[in-house]
Structure formats: structure tokens, C-alpha cells
Amino acid sequence: MSIDWAVVAMAIPLLAQGALTSLRIAALAGLLGLAGGVALGLIALGGFTPARLAVRAYVDFIRGTPLLIQIFIVFFGLPMLGWRPGEYLSGVIALSLNSAGYIAEIVRGAVGSIERGQTEAAQSIGLTRGKILLHVLLPQAIRPMTPALTNDLITLVKNTSLLSVISVYELTRSGQAIIASHFAPLEIFALLALYYYLIISVLAYISRLIERKLPAW
Amino acid sequence: MVGPERSSLPAPAPLLSIRNLCKRFGDRMVLKDVSFEIGAGEAVVLIGPSGSGKTTVLRCLNQLETPTSGTITLAGDVIGGSLAPDGTRWKPFGEADIAGQRRRFGFVFQRFNLFPHLSALQNVALGPRLTLGLPKATAEARAAAHLERVRLADHRDKRPGQLSGGQQQRVAIARALAMEPELILFDEPTSALDPELVHEVLDVMRALARDGMTMIVVTHEMSFARQVAHRVVFMADGAIVEQGAPDALFTAPQHETTRRFLAHVRNR
């Protein structure tokens, strides 16, 4: 058995296209997931019990079911509700919903671990729950949250590969297309692995930089 | 001994009145029928062995703990809730009303509890900006004035982590003052400080008392109690054992428990 270098050379630029799509999806889903996750996390810490329980149930569902199934549910479920966003947007939505669930837990955990005296001091100057969360607790939670959020982002990038099952033309899917026409599975899967590895190495490096830049109090 | 710095006792109408305050944690009664009153401008020092309930009294006043029973009134307003019109059912306040009452008390914590992500100035300006609704510039001007008052004008842009314990506690006092509270509660304000930093905090408190700020101070600093307090309240085992003018209480305590406690702290 020998390596088909011609296929490798041909695949590198094609896969780069797919990698860009994967990155775009991850960036979009990451931002939406972060916004949604912070919002859900704050609700989970808030005083309104029904909303808190709803978030709890949502997080349990997200963590308790495979992402692959969640992707199918969104992909086939949204059209049932009368909206056909297409596979690309469906994929972004599914990944956003998934990562929002995990980020909600990260936010809840980090904010909840801040010393009780901070809340009491804020209460003593008359702040109410929402303002305490927003102005006192959340800012202090950012640094302890960063490593967990980085992990989540890395997982998100890898999870974009699952969108290949709903025909989103991201990195994995574009590799599969090359395999189908040229039949060089090992070369292509190795290349795919290399692409993901490089992307994630860069992300991990950036997040270490950010972590070092964040103030430690 | 330093001579007393007390001004004459203020007018009789009590600013704060505590009636039969009880607090139970699980099956332990931490406060048993605590009653006392404080007039405007009065400085009261609460002393007693640890575990005697002094801190819990302060925390009940500021609603950091909910009393099991009893009534607290501040300038005629009942703290924590109101009786239903039929006069039989107690209706606890909602969050906004509680917050509104809390800010009428200043609270200075043993461990300062400054916000570590904010500068000294922002720590002090946060309350006025967010709860009194002052514009940022006004709130910061007010904060700067109060930092000046605790002699920390030069440190306004430093974070708590860059300040000494004594400086942090003075920022915390400024933070309480900036809300212009009707009285300030000090919960062992010097207990977490290195000995050489205690005096700078006590000096600030002494100046506040001299300016007529109403205060309740839980402390083990007996010389402070002697010099500054109008009245000393001795608590043991969740109840008030005796109270009186500091000279009387320190030189001629009426109860054996008080005598034993004073003998202990004197030997420190």
C-alpha cells in the first residue's frame, strides 16, 4: 500500500475551503452559544423559580442526549414548525443550543463559587439580585470561567464535523466527498485530523494568551 | 488613660428599636429576646464572648438574616415586612423593599468584602450609581469626597488587592458612608487586621462618632469602647446581660459573667 500524494496535493486546498466553513460555523455557534449560555446561566442563578427549573430541565436534556440526535431533531423539527432554515443554519442552531446548555452550567458554577461575602456586601448597599449578578458576580467569574469556556470552544470546533450528517459542506463533509470520488480514505482522514488538530492548537494558544491577559485579583 | 471624647447623650427619641429579637439556627437559639434602643447620634458598642450573638444582631438588622421573631423599627418603619391590615398576619417585604431598607443601614464587614474587580473609587460609587440612580460623574464625585473623608484620596484608582487591610477597611467604610445611611453597623471591623493597622481604622470610626454618626460596633477593642461609646452592651449566650455607660460597665460590672469576660479581655 502506498500513499496517493496526488490526491493529497489536490485535497489540501479543497479541504481548506471546508475548514473555513467549519470555522465560520464554530464562530457563529460559539457566539450564539455564549450569549445564550450566559443568559441561561443567569436565569439559573436568578430568583424566579419556574424559569430556574426550566433551565435546569433544558441543561439536563442537552447533557443527557447525544449531539447527533439533537442535530437531527433541529434539522427535522424546525420544518415541522414551518421554518426551513436549510442545513447550514439548522446546523448552527443545533450547535448553539448545545453549547448554550453547557455554558449555562459553566456560568452557574463559576458565579456560584464566588464568595458569599460579595453578595452580602452588594446587598448591604441596596443592590437587588439582578444588579448583583451583573455588576458584582459575573465580572469576577470571567477569569475562572475562561479555561472551561476554552474547552467548550474546542469541543464545538470538533463537533462541527457532526454536521456532515445533514450535508453541511464543512471540513469533514468535504473530505468525504473527495473520498467518494477518489477513494483514498486514509489519506483524506489523516488530512482531516491534521486540519482539526492545527485549528484547535491555534485556538488553545490564543486562549492561553487571553487567560494570561485577564486580570487576577 | 485617655480622657473620654464623648459628646453629651443625644435626644431621647430612639432611631432604632429592637424588641424581643429571637433567632434560631436549626434547633439552636442564637438570640433570645434581645431588646434595646438606640438614639440618633449614639455610638453603641456590643461586646461579649464569641458565639454570644453579637454579629447575628447586626445581620438581623440589615436583613442578612431573617429574625425568627421580634420587631425592629428604624425611624418608625418596621424592618422586613408589615402586618396585614387585619393586624394578625405578617407579610414579608419583596426584594425591592428589602433592598430599600438595607441601604438605610451601612454595614462594615470583618473581612471588608470589597469588590476586587473595581477600583476603590468604583467600589464606593457603585451603590450611589446603581441604587440611588446618580449619574456616573455625580456618584464618583460623591465617592471621591468619602474617600477623602477616610483619608484615601490618593488611592482612589487602586484595586482592593493593591491596598493594605487597613486601607481596604477604610474603603469599605467609605462605601457604607456614600449611601448616606441613617446608621452604620460595624461587625468586628478590626479583627482581620494586622495589629499595626488597627488604629487607622479606629481613628476613622472615632471621627465618625465625633461627627454624630449613629453606630453599632461589635468589637473586642475595649479601649475604643471606653473612649468612643456612649453605651456598652454586654451579650452572652444570645442575650443581653447588662448595658450601661462604658465607665460604669467597665469599672463596676453588675454581673458575674460580665466580670469574668472583662477579666479575660483585660489580660490580653
Side-chain angles (χ1 to χ4, degrees):
Chain A
M1 200 204 134
S2 62
I3 293 172
D4 187 344
W5 291 106
V7 171
V8 170
M10 181 270 307
I12 287 175
L14 284 178
L15 292 182
Q17 290 278 324
L20 270 180
T21 307
S22 284
L23 277 176
R24 261 203 305 274
I25 292 172
L28 211 53
L31 283 176
L32 290 172
L34 185 65
V38 169
L40 289 176
L42 291 180
I43 291 171
L45 291 157
F48 186 52
T49 308
R52 227 167 47 206
L53 291 177
V55 171
R56 181 84 261 151
Y58 177 78
V59 170
D60 277 351
F61 175 78
I62 292 295
R63 294 205 296 190
T65 55
L67 173 58
L68 187 62
I69 308 292
Q70 295 165 16
I71 291 169
F72 281 128
I73 288 177
V74 169
F75 184 63
F76 293 112
L78 288 180
M80 298 265 288
L81 299 173
W83 184 34
R84 300 181 172 280
E87 67 276 356
Y88 179 86
L89 209 50
S90 294
V92 170
I93 291 169
L95 290 177
S96 304
L97 291 174
N98 180 269
S99 99
Y102 284 97
I103 290 174
E105 271 303 284
I106 294 172
V107 171
R108 201 182 62 88
V111 170
S113 70
I114 289 166
E115 196 213 343
R116 167 122 195 86
Q118 290 291 308
T119 301
E120 291 187 348
Q123 286 175 328
S124 78
I125 51 173
L127 298 197
T128 44
R129 202 166 187 143
K131 284 178 179 162
I132 295 174
L133 273 176
L134 215 58
H135 295 275
V136 176
L137 300 181
L138 195 58
Q140 295 184 54
I142 289 173
R143 193 169 204 275
M145 280 190 315
T146 311
L149 288 178
T150 303
N151 271 339
D152 198 77
L153 182 63
I154 286 172
T155 307
L156 177 60
V157 170
K158 291 192 281 191
N159 282 344
T160 55
S161 71
L162 288 173
L163 297 185
S164 58
V165 299
I166 55 169
S167 311
V168 176
Y169 229 81
E170 44 64 68
L171 182 51
T172 301
R173 177 74 183 160
S174 46
Q176 287 170 337
I178 299 172
I179 293 170
S181 53
H182 292 78
F183 200 73
L186 183 64
E187 286 86 342
I188 299 301
F189 279 122
L191 266 182
L192 288 178
L194 194 63
Y195 263 103
Y196 283 112
Y197 181 76
L198 288 176
I199 291 171
I200 282 160
S201 300
V202 171
L203 285 178
Y205 177 72
I206 293 172
S207 92
R208 272 200 301 278
L209 282 188
I210 292 174
E211 215 177 312
R212 220 173 301 150
K213 281 264 154 59
L214 283 175
W217 298 298
Chain B
M1 205 196 97
V2 186
E5 298 175 27
R6 296 183 287 282
S7 49
S8 57
L9 268 173
L15 173 68
L16 178 80
S17 142
I18 302 167
R19 286 267 152 273
N20 305 109
L21 183 66
C22 293
K23 176 65 186 175
R24 201 180 53 226
F25 288 120
D27 50 9
R28 215 168 74 84
M29 281 304 269
V30 185
L31 294 180
K32 302 163 191 162
D33 268 328
V34 171
S35 300
F36 67 100
E37 290 180 344
I38 293 179
E42 205 181 352
V44 172
V45 167
L46 229 53
I47 60 171
S50 59
S52 57
K54 311 174 300 274
T55 292
T56 310
V57 170
L58 296 194
R59 292 174 61 84
C60 284
L61 292 178
N62 209 24
Q63 302 182 67
L64 294 173
E65 306 286 353
T66 313
T68 307
S69 63
T71 316
I72 301 163
T73 15
L74 175 64
D77 302 321
V78 179
I79 294 299
S82 60
L83 281 177
D86 60 10
T88 55
R89 217 161 29 83
W90 173 253
K91 229 165 68 57
F93 281 142
E95 199 200 356
D97 287 326
I98 290 180
Q101 284 188 331
R102 272 199 188 115
R103 64 174 189 243
R104 298 172 64 181
F105 297 86
F107 202 106
V108 175
F109 297 84
Q110 182 178 352
R111 306 210 51 88
F112 332 135
N113 296 0
L114 290 178
F115 308 126
H117 60 298
L118 300 178
S119 70
L121 187 77
Q122 292 167 324
N123 262 279
V124 181
L126 192 70
R129 196 158 62 80
L130 292 181
T131 68
L132 305 179
L134 298 185
K136 190 160 181 264
T138 318
E140 289 189 348
R142 184 194 278 202
H146 284 289
L147 282 177
E148 177 84 58
R149 194 169 173 191
V150 298
R151 298 193 305 278
L152 284 174
D154 297 343
H155 299 278
R156 48 183 275 171
D157 295 322
K158 289 187 184 162
R159 292 246 171 83
Q162 301 167 293
L163 298 171
S164 74
Q167 291 169 333
Q168 289 189 53
Q169 193 60 298
R170 280 146 66 201
V171 174
I173 293 172
R175 178 174 67 180
L177 286 172
M179 297 301 293
E180 299 181 346
E182 289 160 58
L183 77 168
I184 301 191
L185 312 172
F186 291 88
D187 183 14
E188 303 202 22
T190 57
S191 299
L193 296 178
D194 291 334
E196 77 272 19
L197 301 176
V198 166
H199 72 93
E200 61 186 61
V201 171
L202 292 183
D203 285 349
V204 165
M205 292 168 63
R206 198 173 284 133
L208 286 179
R210 211 182 296 123
D211 293 348
M213 173 59 79
T214 313
M215 49 171 86
I216 308 181
V217 184
V218 170
T219 186
H220 295 293
E221 296 291 332
M222 295 302 149
S223 60
F224 175 81
R226 260 177 190 274
Q227 294 164 27
V228 180
H230 296 108
R231 182 154 47 108
V232 175
V233 175
F234 174 69
M235 286 184 71
D237 202 22
I240 293 179
V241 177
E242 64 179 298
Q243 50 179 310
D247 288 337
L249 192 122
F250 283 122
T251 52
Q254 300 300 301
H255 290 261
E256 179 56 29
T257 337
T258 321
R259 270 195 288 277
R260 249 180 302 154
F261 173 75
L262 290 175
H264 269 296
V265 293
R266 258 191 218 113
N267 288 341
R268 282 206 312 179

